[in-house]
């Protein structure tokens, strides 16, 4: 029970319930955390997964999940390096996210720690597996969470 009490304190759920603010306030406190973790997880998979035959479509769709300078940097990297390399060398990549956790979240800004497994295959070669951790920063722009930073840790 002690761990549950710690979770309630850390998330503010205990204070909301104790102060009589009810479930609406609890949802308001937890909503950005839950939603940003989902968006960071889905976005990470999209950013790091592609096939040679569909790489432009795959990474173009991923780009729509981004904002600001990171969107510009990702666009340049994929256009100049990833897309041509994938097509020429028949490189495919599949990313999965076995775990993710909210570091911080408020109404329009969140930071999520994402644990990533990625498998890359070059041509007919053997798959190469890597594991990494990424700090994903998101901003809610026009009501939609977008990834504004993507920093390996």
């Amino acid at each position: 029970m002690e761990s549950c009490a710690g979770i309630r304190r850390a998330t503010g759920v205990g204070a909301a319930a104790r102060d009589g603010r009810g479930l609406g306030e609890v949802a308001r406190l937890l909503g950005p955390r839950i939603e940003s973790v989902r968006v960071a997880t889905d976005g990470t998979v999209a950013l790091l997964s592609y096939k040679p035959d569909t790489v432009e479509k795959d990474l173009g769709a991923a780009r729509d999940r981004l904002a600001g300078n990171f969107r510009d940097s990702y666009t340049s990297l994929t256009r100049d390096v990833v897309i041509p390399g994938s097509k020429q060398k028949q490189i495919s990549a599949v990313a999965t996210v076995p775990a993710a956790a909210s570091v911080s979240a408020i109404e329009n800004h969140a930071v999520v720690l994402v644990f990533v497994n990625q498998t890359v295959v070059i041509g007919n070669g053997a798959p190469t597996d890597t594991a990494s951790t990424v700090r994903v920063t998101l901003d809610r722009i026009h009501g939609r969470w977008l990834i504004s930073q993507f920093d390996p840790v």
Side-chain angles (χ1 to χ4, degrees), residues 121-138:
V121 177
I122 302 173
N124 293 324
T128 302
D129 295 322
T130 57
S132 59
T133 306
V134 181
R135 181 182 172 100
V136 180
T137 302
L138 304 105

Side-chain angles (χ1 to χ4, degrees), residues 1-148:
M1 283 301 199
E2 181 62 33
S3 63
C4 290
I7 292 170
R8 285 191 301 271
R9 277 192 304 274
T11 61
V13 172
R18 182 184 64 246
D19 295 345
R21 289 180 273 173
L23 292 178
E25 182 68 5
V26 170
R28 188 189 68 74
L29 290 170
L30 292 180
R33 287 186 183 273
I34 293 167
E35 194 176 348
S36 62
V37 168
R38 180 189 56 77
V39 171
T41 298
D42 294 346
T44 297
V45 169
L47 289 172
L48 300 176
S49 300
Y50 54 90
K51 296 177 185 171
D53 296 338
T54 57
V55 65
E56 289 173 299
K57 180 175 93 42
D58 298 339
L59 300 182
R63 187 176 51 249
D64 293 340
R65 300 170 182 255
L66 310 179
N69 291 335
F70 178 61
R71 179 184 170 104
D72 298 338
S73 298
Y74 181 82
T75 299
S76 295
L77 175 68
T78 56
R79 181 189 60 231
D80 298 341
V81 178
V82 179
I83 292 171
S86 178
K87 288 179 175 183
Q88 291 169 359
K89 297 180 182 178
Q90 294 297 293
I91 300 172
S92 63
V94 177
T96 60
V97 174
S102 176
V103 174
S104 64
I106 56 175
E107 184 179 348
N108 291 317
H109 182 80
V111 177
V112 177
L113 197 60
V114 179
F115 298 89
V116 183
N117 293 329
Q118 187 182 41
T119 301
V120 176
V121 177
I122 302 173
N124 293 324
T128 302
D129 295 322
T130 57
S132 59
T133 306
V134 181
R135 181 182 172 100
V136 180
T137 302
L138 304 105
D139 291 302
R140 189 189 310 256
I141 300 170
H142 304 297
R144 185 170 171 229
W145 285 106
L146 298 173
I147 297 172
S148 56

